[in-house]
Amino acid sequence: MVMQKEQIEILVEDGLGGAVCKARDLTGTEDHWGLEITWAGFEGMSRLEAHKTVLTVLRPHMDEGSGEIHAVQITTRLPQA
Amino acid sequence: MTELREQLEKAIADTPILLFTKGNKMFPRCGFSAAVIDVFNQMGVPFETIDIFEDPDIRPTLVSITDWPTTPQIFIGGEFIGGGDIVREMFAAGELQPVVEKALAAAQ
């Protein structure tokens, strides 16, 4: 059971209110995702905090949870002022 | 589990640059682990890897220490830096070198 591109984008955007997420399938197997996330909420966060915040949203769907997502490559960005 | 946790915490404290990876330095068994090993190879700095597949308890113990669900996990100077993405971002931004130099100097 894997997630579709739109599903993972919605999952992130719902989890981080107001975020914009662009998902890219890294391996063609729909379980290794490159995620580019633009969100004002990252303001003032260290890279570690920003990535941890994203992972908190994804964890129930990762190997510890349902396993739909095997690996993610996260890039966090602030919206252009 | 606590004995393993103590062993891991000791390795983290005693090793300036320590990577928990799938596979090891010579034979990484995951693209993300290989990519982060490559970063430190490019920097030409001494680093150690612990293969989480060596013992099935390593991964849950590590997750209980860092609360970080994925692999690889990178520690520099005894501090959890993050996963492969963060290390690659720091490397690209030139922020990794000073952190590495500080940890290696402290270990002298």
Side-chain angles (χ1 to χ4, degrees):
Chain A
M1 233 280 278
V2 289
M3 293 184 89
Q4 306 301 322
K5 175 176 153 59
E6 296 69 27
Q7 280 178 299
I8 197 167
E9 288 172 342
I10 291 163
L11 174 70
V12 171
E13 288 168 0
D14 284 353
L16 306 176
V20 174
C21 174
K22 284 279 161 287
R24 196 164 42 85
D25 185 343
L26 298 176
T27 54
T29 53
E30 291 181 315
D31 61 355
H32 285 62
W33 292 98
L35 302 178
E36 276 183 36
I37 303 162
T38 306
W39 185 44
F42 292 137
E43 183 71 48
M45 280 191 188
S46 71
R47 276 198 179 88
L48 191 56
E49 285 158 353
H51 282 233
K52 250 187 185 177
T53 306
V54 175
L55 283 169
T56 310
V57 173
L58 299 174
R59 269 176 104 153
H61 302 272
M62 296 188 75
D63 291 344
E64 290 169 304
S66 65
E68 295 154 294
I69 303 169
H70 177 59
V72 282
Q73 196 159 52
I74 296 168
T75 307
T76 56
R77 286 206 181 81
L78 289 171
Q80 294 306 333
Chain B
M1 190 74 100
T2 53
E3 198 204 309
L4 178 61
R5 185 182 175 111
E6 275 150 26
Q7 278 170 358
L8 295 188
E9 283 170 347
K10 187 169 184 336
I12 289 165
D14 295 349
T15 318
I17 302 169
L18 181 61
L19 284 55
F20 287 86
T21 51
K22 286 176 180 166
N24 57 41
K25 246 195 248 193
M26 302 315 292
F27 304 101
R29 286 162 53 193
C30 150
F32 293 155
S33 291
V36 81
I37 285 167
D38 190 48
V39 165
F40 290 101
N41 281 332
Q42 277 179 54
M43 294 176 79
V45 290
F47 66 95
E48 296 305 324
T49 56
I50 290 180
D51 180 352
I52 64 164
F53 290 141
E54 262 172 35
D55 171 345
D57 290 333
I58 290 178
R59 188 174 187 172
T61 308
L62 185 60
V63 171
S64 71
I65 293 172
T66 58
D67 191 26
W68 185 268
T70 58
T71 314
Q73 298 195 21
I74 296 93
F75 292 81
I76 299 178
E79 210 193 304
F80 178 48
I81 300 299
D85 302 346
I86 288 176
V87 165
R88 267 200 313 284
E89 268 180 39
M90 289 174 71
F91 181 57
E95 291 172 22
L96 195 57
Q97 189 68 30
V99 174
V100 161
E101 279 165 8
K102 193 174 144 223
L104 291 174
Q108 291 309 312

